[in-house]
Amino acid sequence: MADDDPEFRLRLPNGKMIARGRLLTEKGAKGSRKFVVLAGSPVRSNTVPSFAARKPPSYYTRQQLIDTGVIRRSDRWPGCLETTSDIECTSPSAAAEILMGCSVNGWGVWKSPDGRSLIEYLGQSSAVPNRPWLVRGSNITGLDLVRRLWIPEGLVTLAASRLRQGVQQGIAKDELRTLVREDYESTATYSQQQQLVEDLHAFLTRMKPGDTVCTISGGHLYVGEVTGEPEQTQSEDRRSNLRRPVEWQPTGHAYDELPEELQQKLSIQHDVVDLTSVQAHIEGLGLTDEELVEEAEAIERDPSMEIPAITARRELELPEPTDELADELLVHGTEWLREVRNLLWDERQLVLYGPPGTGKTYLALKLAEFLGGGPEQVKLVQFHPSYAYEDFFEGFRPQEDPQTREVAFRLTAGPLRELADLASREGNRHIPHFLIIDEINRANLAKVFGELYFLLEYRNKSVRLTYSGDDFALPPNLFVIGTMNTADRSIALVDAAMRRRFAFVELSPRTEPTRGLLRRWLAKEGKETEPADLLDALNSRIDDPDFRIGPSYLMKKGVYREGGLERTWRTKILPLMEEHHYGEGVDVEKRYGMAALRESLG
C-alpha cells in the first residue's frame, strides 16, 4: 500500500469515533477494488440481527477477525472494539460492514478529508442517490447466466456481443448511439438499436458502485450490490462481454410473494430497468419492521424520519361501511354496503347497473368519497359514443404556446392517466383513489381502454403505452366504479371481456336497496307515502325489468311543490313509457297515467 494513497474516514454512529482506511488500486478475485481498514480504527461491539442473513461474507469475516484477535476490545473507546492491525477487505462496503455490524453502502459512508464521499472522489456524482436496477440474465441466447455465471462468480453482465472493444465507462449517450448504429447496423432493427443504447448507457454510465442490482431466475428475485466499475472483455460465447462485480445476497425471494408494485416494475420487458420507484420495497425484502428499525439505528438515521421500507408496507385499506353511511345513503342495511366494499377490494373494478333513476351515479360518488377519504381522491368521467382512448388516457392535443402564440400538438394526459399518476405518488400509495365512469356502456370499451384492458385483469403487470412509450401499470390503490343504464343498452350485450374484468351489482326497483329507497326518503323528509305507492304500482305494470322506473325522479324538491307530482309524472315518466312502447299501440296514459294508477290503488 503506497503512502500517497488517499485516506478515507468513516464516522461511527455516536459521532465521536472515526475509522480510517484507504482504497487500493488492485482488485479482488471478483473485480471490486480492495479497501484497507487501518489499525486503531473503532468497531461497533454488536451487530444487528439481520446482518448474518443479509451479508454473510462480512459477518463471518468479522467473527473470524474477532476470534483471531485482529479486532479486540478497545481501551480507548469503552464498550467498543478496535482493530489491532490493518485489515484488507474485498470492497469499501465490506470494510464498512465489518466496522458497523450491519448492511451499509461503503461507497457513500467513507468520506475524504474534505467531506466528499468515496464515489464522488472517484469522479461520479453523489448528488444522485443509489439506484436499484433490474438486469435480466435468465435467457441470454437460451442460457440462464444468473445461476451459471452471475451468482457463482459475483457478476452482472450484458452480452454486447458486437460492440467494439475500448468502450469506456461514462460514455455519452450520443457517442454510444453512433457506435451501436455502426456496430449493429446489419444485425438489429432501428428500435432494437434504440433500446440497446438505453441499456448500455445505463450499465456503463448511470449505474455506479453501491447501487443495488436485481435479477430473476427460477421464479426467484435475487438482490446484490454493485461493487465495482464496468469492464469489457471478450467472452468465449459472446454472452457476457460487459461485466460488473456484484456481491449477491445468498438467498432469493419467491416472485409470487413480492409486493404487487414490485412485480409490476419487474414485468417491464427490457434488459436493464431502473427500479428507483420501488426502491423502498427492495430495501425491505426479507426483513421485519423491527430489523429495519435496528438497521436504521445502527447507521444513526434521524429518528424523526420515516424509514421508506416500512412506509412502503403501509397496507392499503378500504374502511368498513358504517351504520351512519347506510343512513345517509338510505340503504336498507350496512351488510349490503359491506358486500359492495368487499367486491371492490377483491376485483378493484365494479359496475352498478340498472334502469334510469336508481341512483347509480350518486351512490358511486358517495361510496367512493367514503372509501377514499374525501372527494379529492375521486375523479368522474362520462363515456359517450365518440369517447376515445386519447380522451380517456393520453393522446396528442392542440395546445397554444403562451409565448409564441403558436399552436402545436402535444402529448396530453387524460383523466385516467392523471388519477393514476396521483395515486402512485410517494406517500399516496396506501390511500384508495377512485375513478367513476358514468354511462360506461355507451362507449366502445375496447377502443377507449386499448392496451389498458389487459391491466384491468392483470394488475401486477405493466404494458408499453401507445403514444408516450412509457411502461405503465395501474396502481394497486386505484379502483374503478362504472355505472350502466340498462334501458340504454342491455347488460346482456356487454362483451365477455368486460364481464371478466368487472364485478356487477344490480340496482333495480325490484330489489333492495332501490326497492324501498323512496319510502325511506319520504319517511325521513316527513312526507306522505303516495309517491312511493304510485311508483310501486307503475313498476308492477312494466314487464321488462330494464325499463322500470327508479325512485330518484320523485326525490326532488320540485316534485313536492303545488302540482309538482303531476307535472313530473307527465313530463318525465310518461315520455319514458312512450319510448318503451313505441310502435306497439299501447295507450300509455290509460295504462300508466296517475289517474289510472290512483284508481288501481283505491
Side-chain angles (χ1 to χ4, degrees), residues 196-256:
L196 183 58
V197 169
E198 296 297 328
D199 294 343
L200 292 173
H201 184 257
F203 194 88
L204 289 167
T205 302
R206 298 180 63 202
M207 191 181 294
K208 63 181 185 292
D211 281 0
T212 300
V213 63
C214 303
T215 194
I216 303 169
S217 176
H220 285 75
L221 176 72
Y222 294 91
V223 181
E225 179 189 317
V226 178
T227 58
E229 309 294 352
E231 291 185 348
Q232 191 175 17
T233 184
Q234 286 280 18
S235 60
E236 294 181 359
D237 52 11
R238 298 202 298 182
R239 288 187 174 97
S240 56
N241 286 0
L242 281 180
R243 304 183 173 197
R244 276 184 179 268
V246 172
E247 182 183 325
W248 293 100
Q249 293 179 15
T251 57
H253 307 273
Y255 185 89
D256 293 339

Side-chain angles (χ1 to χ4, degrees), residues 430-479:
H430 66 287
I431 301 174
H433 289 67
F434 287 84
L435 178 68
I436 309 297
I437 305 177
D438 200 28
E439 305 285 4
I440 191 172
N441 56 320
R442 294 188 64 211
N444 183 332
L445 295 182
K447 177 183 177 182
V448 171
F449 279 97
E451 67 271 17
L452 305 177
Y453 227 0
F454 170 82
L455 297 181
L456 291 174
E457 185 172 8
Y458 298 98
R459 284 293 193 105
N460 63 340
K461 302 292 184 182
S462 62
V463 297
R464 175 64 65 90
L465 296 176
T466 302
Y467 286 97
S468 65
D470 295 340
D471 293 290
F472 177 80
L474 285 173
N477 58 332
L478 177 59
F479 298 84

